[in-house]
Amino acid sequence: MPITLSQNGRITTTVLVEQYFRKDDCKNMSKQADKTSESTDSQTDSQALTAKPYDPHEVEERWLDSWEKSEYFHGDPQSSKDPYSIVIPPPNVTDILHLGHALNNAIQDILIRKHRMSGYEANWFPGADHAGIATQVMVEKKLHKEGKTRRELGRKKFLELTRGWADTNKEKILGQLRRIGCSCDWQRTAFTLDESRSLAVREAFVRLYDKGLIYRGNRIVNWCPSCQTSLSDDEVEHIDKSGSLWYIHYKIAGVEEYLTVATTRPETMLGDTALAVNPSDPRFSKYVGKSAILPLLDREIPIVADEYVDAEFGTGVVKITPAHDPNDFEVGKRHELPSINVLTHDGHINENGGRFKGLDRYEARKQIIAELEKRHQLEKTEDHALNVGTCYRCHTVVEPYLSDQWFVKMGPLAKPALEAFHEKKLRFHPEYWGKTYLHWMDNIRDWCISRQLWWGHRIPIFYCDDCSEVSASVDVLSACPKCDSTNIRQEEDVLDTWFSSWLWPMTTMGWPAKTPELEFFYPTKVLVTGSEIIFLWVARMVMAGYEFQGELPFNDVYIHGTVRDDKGVKMSKSLGNGIDPLEVIEQYGADSLRVSMILATPDGQDPWLSKNSFELGRNFINKIFQSSRFLQMRTPEGFSCDVSSAPAKAGLALPDRWILSKLQSAIENIEKSFNSFRLSAALKELYDFAWNDFCSWYIELIKPDTQNTPIQEQSLRVAYYALDSILRLMHPFAPFFSEELSTRLRDAGITKTGDRQTLSFGPWPKTDSSLTDDTAEASLNSIKAVVDGVRSLRAEMNVPPGKTCDLYVKVSDESYGKTLEEYHSYFRSLVKVENLTVGPAVKKPPLSASVVVTGAEIFVPLEGLIDVEKERSRLEKELDKLKGLLDRLRRKLANADFLKNAPDTIVALEKTKQSDLEDRIAKLDSNLEQLTGW
């Protein structure tokens, strides 16, 4: 759901935002951004208001270079610290950076930076994936434009060309990740097809082969006629499509009878080797054991009985095509039926298709239907909804295809991976994604790992053409290990890309060698990924971890949402609704990109983003920047304070004690959110504290009334300590800005940070219970409630900002009244109160506007502040306008056609508009009533 922004960048709440945050959170977030009319706009001097906003561009590039040259991100496996490691989900070399990458990697960077600051030896292992099918398809397309084919080039030259293309793209996308601020250990960058990873893949294959867990079998696979390779079940994307159901007559041999068969793929009938009926179906029992004549080819095929047949579906008779349907393949094995493949690798009819040989599968379908009609063997055609499997890369409709392929037996590997989940050693965040993992693992099937490609890890199997020995070897064999013949050849197929990816947590650290990195940083701590590859990658890595290392590769799996546009549609290149993160960085900076995405991504849900969503992060960063500038302008020359420890609490004023106490709550809540992988909640806690408590309230409270007068030194010490804490809490989310501002303050001599020269190593803020002050918080909450009430009245009654007013507060609690009287000076500075009257006996003065807040009733006399008649007229006109809008909206929502045809989100939005209008009308009625009779 989108976070929408008004033209000035302030957050506005809609029904969609309220699905993001709790309703109260939305209101609070909106309030703190909108209070600037009389609060945050007044906190800065005219010099600050005209100051340039923070410019991220020069800053970010400079810090990227500085961090890398300093090797801050190169973890030491000999460290005495506790390890904390993450492996990057390797982006495909075919990719360009999109918002999904940006979100995924921002989350990882936040986690790694936070733990680096918390004292861990943190290391983030980067790399890229060779993306077998996708890369080969793209390079072949490039060759096609040049009038060439890979076979004309030959395998060696094609692989050299592809390697060069992949290396160029790899450096490009890794460079883009640097732009986001990823604090990866770039010195340990891995590639799934480099020599180290290739050795690991061969080692894993041979180990599994020697254990009998890898085998070659003639099985039905998913075949892409365009890529001309097999696909695993997980690489097939299913789409709903309109199709047809053709009813075809199959004549019974020797008699003038026929059985009707319904099919959605009539071209495969050329490979039929039987008809089947349910053994319990009395309609067809007399035909079992007899034969039918295959239409068009006139081949005699048996009629068999099998429990697989659903007597209630179609006609109750099914055609059995063992070479082109996985269920038919099983039926064929039970009844010892031949398997006749009628398709070539590129989706044309082969020599088994009779006169249809050479036709494309869909052209063959047309001609077969026409011929059946001509022979009066097509009974009827019906529309039929289909769920069609397509190639996940080129989106061609895949064919079930009988082929010799290599498989991994997954059952034995799945057992420890399932136990880890049930024993809660493996945890998903949010927790409900564990059900998806469990579903896949409970229904696991053998994994087809061979691909008919050139780009990839060539299968380390060697065939001897003299003695027929089949050998698996990590090293390239020059002679047969059985007969010493040199007449041997290596398997032509390559391994599924995921076969290298499932080893990634180990191979990035040098496995199978026992490297210092593997000994220290493995297992990793957390995996950050999307839900679509929970089985494709997450589950397989868990299985590989247990198989090859005897332990989980990670304990926690953080699943983030899918990035969507502001209409809720998944962003994609084909739809043209994507947002280029590099363009966002150019316009707003990397920190703004990161902060906006995390704030806009409710934990575990999908973020809805538009181009102006990134103003949210920009405005937050600029708010801190301008507040810092204001503090510096009100800091006397020569002032310096040590921010490495908290100021002494003794003798501090109420606002100082309050902000320090609020800081402890913020630190505690942020830490809890991090520990439960609720990063959006952690950042929102920081946003609330920094924007609302620190910028909008605290700085206002400590600001002297007269312009250019310095702030009292004790408050400055607290302010800079709190600001330093904000920057440290902010660093994982906005590393460039926080490092830059912290360094500027230190270099200017305003802050002293002890031995700290960078925020990269923290220290991460910790709570100090001695600074928690419930009394200070209660006192200031009382003041804030009255200030908010007065601001509300002034705004609603259209009181000019420059005019002072009197304030009457009726309280029932005497201590409440004493607090207000003790700190009455704050009302003068914050809401321009001239005279304050407080007590339990206070009565409403004549010509006053009133509002009730917790524990008090507030009255503001309006005589002399506004033109009553003019204000009454304004309110009446506004009321008439809003009532007209409400009337039209009610008629719209009473329209049955609108409710029936409009999307649910639009109806919900209109109902929210109605509720908002009703609230505004009620408020204006109340205000008008207070003016009545004057």
Side-chain angles (χ1 to χ4, degrees):
M1 310 327 133
I3 289 182
T4 55
L5 299 147
S6 62
Q7 289 182 348
N8 63 5
R10 297 169 182 163
I11 303 168
T12 59
T13 56
T14 68
V15 66
L16 299 175
V17 178
E18 289 180 2
Q19 294 178 34
Y20 245 63
F21 303 106
R22 298 190 313 273
K23 189 170 183 178
D24 289 343
D25 289 341
C26 291
K27 290 179 179 177
N28 292 336
M29 220 166 171
S30 181
K31 281 178 183 177
Q32 70 187 51
D34 287 335
K35 280 178 183 174
T36 56
S37 60
E38 285 193 85
S39 174
T40 51
D41 286 348
S42 66
Q43 77 175 26
T44 52
D45 297 328
S46 58
Q47 183 181 352
L49 287 171
T50 58
K52 289 183 179 180
Y54 170 71
D55 182 4
H57 298 99
E58 177 270 334
V59 167
E60 293 179 354
E61 191 170 334
R62 176 161 42 79
W63 279 115
L64 275 177
D65 291 341
S66 175
W67 289 330
E68 290 192 32
K69 287 176 182 176
S70 301
E71 297 190 352
Y72 288 160
F73 311 144
H74 185 58
D76 180 7
Q78 308 301 326
S79 174
S80 60
K81 300 177 182 178
D82 290 334
Y84 184 93
S85 60
I86 297 176
V87 291
I88 198 171
N92 291 342
V93 291
T94 56
D95 285 334
I96 57 171
L97 193 69
H98 55 67
L99 277 184
H101 289 124
L103 175 62
N104 177 273
N105 286 281
I107 291 170
Q108 291 176 83
D109 194 50
I110 289 164
L111 291 171
I112 208 80
R113 285 183 184 272
K114 193 271 182 185
H115 285 86
R116 190 181 290 121
M117 294 178 72
S118 298
Y120 289 85
E121 190 65 31
N123 206 82
W124 184 10
F125 292 83
D129 195 292
H130 67 280
I133 294 177
T135 300
Q136 181 157 323
V137 166
M138 294 191 77
V139 174
E140 288 200 70
K141 284 181 179 179
K142 183 174 179 289
L143 285 174
H144 181 72
K145 290 179 180 178
E146 299 170 0
K148 301 174 185 177
T149 69
R150 66 179 165 107
R151 299 199 180 277
E152 289 172 355
L153 260 67
R155 188 167 193 148
K156 183 178 179 181
K157 286 188 177 180
F158 177 79
L159 290 179
E160 288 174 354
L161 175 68
T162 308
R163 172 75 65 172
W165 184 91
D167 286 346
T168 300
N169 274 41
K170 177 184 69 176
E171 292 308 312
K172 189 179 298 182
I173 192 165
L174 293 179
Q176 292 170 342
L177 292 178
R178 283 180 168 92
R179 290 286 305 278
I180 298 175
C182 294
S183 60
C184 294
D185 182 356
W186 298 108
Q187 296 179 47
R188 292 188 172 110
T189 299
F191 181 48
T192 55
L193 202 55
D194 62 24
E195 185 50 44
S196 176
R197 263 45 66 176
S198 294
L199 172 64
V201 165
R202 297 194 302 273
E203 177 73 26
F205 184 97
V206 172
R207 288 191 193 184
L208 293 174
Y209 182 84
D210 289 345
K211 288 179 70 173
L213 291 176
I214 287 182
Y215 66 94
R216 187 173 177 85
N218 195 31
R219 302 267 295 273
I220 292 287
V221 297
N222 304 295
W223 186 267
C224 175
S226 179
C227 298
Q228 294 188 39
T229 184
S230 61
L231 303 170
S232 68
D233 291 341
D234 318 296
E235 293 171 315
V236 176
E237 294 179 346
H238 288 85
I239 60 171
D240 293 327
K241 190 175 181 180
S242 297
S244 298
L245 197 60
W246 289 275
Y247 290 77
I248 302 170
H249 290 171
Y250 283 64
K251 185 179 180 299
I252 306 299
V255 296
E256 292 302 315
E257 297 181 54
Y258 61 83
L259 293 175
T260 302
V261 175
T263 180
T264 59
R265 298 161 65 218
E267 65 277 9
T268 63
M269 68 182 291
L270 302 173
D272 288 357
T273 57
L275 295 183
V277 298
N278 190 290
S280 302
D281 193 336
R283 294 176 295 172
F284 307 114
S285 57
K286 66 178 181 178
Y287 297 112
V288 175
K290 294 184 178 181
S291 298
I293 305 300
L294 178 63
L296 306 183
L297 295 185
D298 296 330
R299 187 171 66 238
E300 195 167 311
I301 58 176
I303 301 172
V304 301
D306 196 280
E307 293 287 350
Y308 157 69
V309 181
D310 181 358
E312 302 299 321
F313 179 78
T315 64
V317 183
V318 298
K319 57 193 279 303
I320 302 300
T321 319
H324 294 287
D325 184 275
N327 294 310
D328 291 4
F329 179 76
E330 297 300 325
V331 174
K333 286 200 299 184
R334 287 194 290 272
H335 297 275
E336 298 182 345
L337 301 172
S339 296
I340 301 175
N341 189 344
V342 299
L343 290 174
T344 62
H345 285 179
D346 62 354
H348 288 72
I349 304 299
N350 65 18
E351 65 279 0
N352 294 322
R355 67 185 183 86
F356 301 101
K357 177 186 175 182
L359 294 177
D360 171 78
R361 53 181 169 162
Y362 295 121
E363 179 58 32
R365 177 183 293 181
K366 292 178 184 178
Q367 294 195 22
I368 287 169
I369 293 302
E371 187 65 22
L372 289 170
E373 286 182 320
K374 182 178 177 181
R375 295 189 180 196
H376 304 291
Q377 288 183 287
L378 183 67
E379 181 178 301
K380 61 179 178 178
T381 303
E382 292 179 347
D383 292 336
H384 188 71
L386 300 174
N387 188 245
V388 179
T390 62
C391 174
Y392 78 115
R393 280 301 173 190
C394 68
H395 309 298
T396 301
V397 174
V398 300
E399 287 287 343
Y401 192 79
L402 186 62
S403 177
D404 277 328
Q405 301 290 338
W406 288 94
F407 296 86
V408 177
K409 292 180 182 177
M410 300 302 283
L413 299 176
K415 186 177 179 182
L418 271 169
E419 289 175 355
F421 178 77
H422 288 303
E423 293 172 3
K424 301 190 184 306
K425 295 176 183 176
L426 178 66
R427 300 174 291 270
F428 285 82
H429 309 275
E431 190 175 330
Y432 56 76
W433 285 115
K435 294 179 181 178
T436 301
Y437 174 86
L438 194 60
H439 171 77
W440 278 108
M441 298 302 287
D442 282 340
N443 296 279
I444 199 164
R445 293 195 285 181
D446 288 356
W447 175 16
C448 177
I449 56 171
S450 47
R451 298 290 180 271
Q452 289 63 52
L453 304 170
W454 285 355
W455 176 246
H457 295 277
R458 195 166 176 181
I459 294 176
I461 287 288
F462 299 85
Y463 303 99
C464 178
D465 290 333
D466 287 341
C467 71
S468 301
E469 178 72 2
V470 179
S471 306
S473 174
V474 173
D475 300 316
V476 176
L477 295 180
S478 57
C480 174
K482 183 178 181 181
C483 72
D484 291 329
S485 169
T486 58
N487 191 18
I488 62 173
R489 55 189 169 81
Q490 187 175 353
E491 170 66 63
E492 292 289 325
D493 290 353
V494 301
L495 288 163
D496 178 10
T497 298
W498 295 104
F499 196 90
S500 54
S501 299
W502 79 324
L503 307 172
W504 188 247
M506 301 176 296
T507 60
T508 50
M509 302 180 196
W511 185 91
K514 291 187 176 180
T515 63
E517 288 84 357
L518 190 66
E519 293 291 323
F520 184 72
F521 287 115
Y522 188 90
T524 64
K525 295 301 181 183
V526 60
L527 178 77
V528 179
T529 189
S531 62
E532 67 277 6
I533 53 175
I534 287 176
F535 184 73
L536 273 171
W537 193 42
V538 178
R540 288 174 179 165
M541 283 191 289
V542 172
M543 290 184 275
Y546 274 115
E547 176 64 21
F548 300 112
Q549 280 291 102
E551 60 183 326
L552 277 167
F554 37 74
N555 290 105
D556 293 288
V557 182
Y558 181 104
I559 303 293
H560 60 75
T562 299
V563 179
R564 300 180 180 276
D565 65 17
D566 54 1
K567 298 178 179 62
V569 178
K570 180 180 177 181
M571 287 188 182
S572 72
K573 184 178 179 181
S574 60
L575 292 176
N577 65 340
I579 298 173
D580 184 349
L582 295 180
E583 290 182 5
V584 175
I585 291 173
E586 285 299 321
Q587 185 174 359
Y588 298 109
D591 285 332
S592 295
L593 171 75
R594 293 162 61 114
V595 168
S596 300
M597 285 192 303
I598 299 302
L599 277 177
T601 305
D603 300 302
Q605 298 181 42
D606 295 344
W608 289 27
L609 296 170
S610 64
K611 287 185 177 179
N612 70 346
S613 297
F614 304 99
E615 294 176 12
L616 179 61
R618 180 203 63 188
N619 292 351
F620 178 45
I621 289 166
N622 200 51
K623 183 72 173 176
I624 307 300
F625 179 70
Q626 297 293 9
S627 295
S628 171
R629 285 179 59 87
F630 174 73
L631 282 177
Q632 291 174 71
M633 286 188 294
R634 294 298 187 96
T635 298
E637 189 174 348
F639 173 86
S640 182
C641 63
D642 187 349
V643 294
S644 61
S645 60
K649 187 176 176 181
L652 292 180
L654 172 64
D656 302 327
R657 300 197 309 275
W658 171 77
I659 197 66
L660 290 173
S661 185
K662 293 290 288 184
L663 175 60
Q664 307 318 303
S665 299
I667 293 171
E668 181 180 3
N669 291 333
I670 289 168
E671 188 69 19
K672 286 179 180 177
S673 294
F674 263 110
N675 291 339
S676 58
F677 294 93
R678 297 172 58 245
L679 303 193
S680 184
L683 182 53
K684 185 179 177 296
E685 182 74 28
L686 174 59
Y687 182 105
D688 286 343
F689 172 75
W691 186 304
N692 193 17
D693 296 333
F694 182 74
C695 296
S696 296
W697 281 102
Y698 178 65
I699 292 180
E700 276 290 290
L701 289 164
I702 65 173
K703 182 188 75 173
D705 289 342
T706 54
Q707 192 169 341
N708 298 324
T709 301
I711 297 170
Q712 290 186 5
E713 287 201 8
Q714 67 170 12
S715 291
L716 276 177
R717 295 181 191 281
V718 173
Y720 281 116
Y721 174 77
L723 177 59
D724 182 74
S725 298
I726 288 170
L727 294 176
R728 284 186 285 148
L729 291 167
M730 200 173 182
H731 187 66
F733 302 99
F736 299 104
F737 168 73
S738 53
E739 188 83 282
E740 175 69 14
L741 186 51
S742 173
T743 302
R744 287 188 189 182
L745 292 171
R746 185 180 66 245
D747 290 351
I750 294 174
T751 61
K752 297 176 181 177
T753 58
D755 296 333
R756 189 183 89 203
Q757 295 301 310
T758 175
L759 292 182
S760 294
F761 301 108
W764 182 252
K766 294 181 179 179
T767 54
D768 182 346
S769 59
S770 69
L771 297 177
T772 300
D773 193 328
D774 294 337
T775 301
E777 289 197 40
S779 296
L780 203 56
N781 285 342
S782 300
I783 294 168
K784 287 173 64 181
V786 174
V787 168
D788 282 340
V790 175
R791 283 177 175 160
S792 175
L793 286 178
R794 289 180 67 108
E796 289 166 6
M797 291 301 180
N798 217 20
V799 176
K803 286 196 173 184
T804 60
C805 66
D806 290 338
L807 174 61
Y808 294 79
V809 184
K810 182 180 180 180
V811 295
S812 54
D813 185 341
E814 288 190 13
S815 62
Y816 192 159
K818 287 180 180 179
T819 297
L820 299 182
E821 288 177 333
E822 182 178 356
Y823 299 107
H824 67 276
S825 60
Y826 294 132
F827 299 110
R828 182 181 302 111
S829 61
L830 295 175
V831 282
K832 292 184 169 56
V833 170
E834 186 72 25
N835 299 299
L836 173 67
T837 303
V838 182
V842 168
K843 298 186 182 303
K844 181 178 181 179
L847 309 179
S848 294
S850 65
V851 66
V852 176
V853 299
T854 303
E857 189 172 5
I858 298 168
F859 309 108
V860 175
L862 297 174
E863 188 174 11
L865 294 180
I866 62 172
D867 183 325
V868 175
E869 289 302 323
K870 186 177 179 180
E871 181 62 16
R872 183 188 294 123
S873 175
R874 184 187 72 81
L875 291 175
E876 288 173 344
K877 287 179 181 178
E878 182 69 11
L879 265 174
D880 288 342
K881 177 183 173 183
L882 293 182
K883 287 178 178 179
L885 289 173
L886 179 61
D887 183 59
R888 288 195 294 274
L889 193 54
R890 282 173 173 168
R891 289 200 301 271
K892 186 176 186 179
L893 288 170
N895 187 319
D897 290 338
F898 170 75
L899 296 176
K900 179 181 177 182
N901 298 320
D904 291 343
T905 53
I906 298 299
V907 174
L909 195 58
E910 295 300 286
K911 287 182 178 179
T912 300
K913 287 180 183 177
Q914 178 181 342
S915 178
D916 289 345
L917 281 172
E918 288 170 346
D919 288 345
R920 289 170 64 189
I921 288 170
K923 191 66 179 174
L924 289 178
D925 273 332
S926 174
N927 292 344
L928 191 59
E929 184 179 343
Q930 294 191 68
L931 296 179
T932 300
W934 288 15

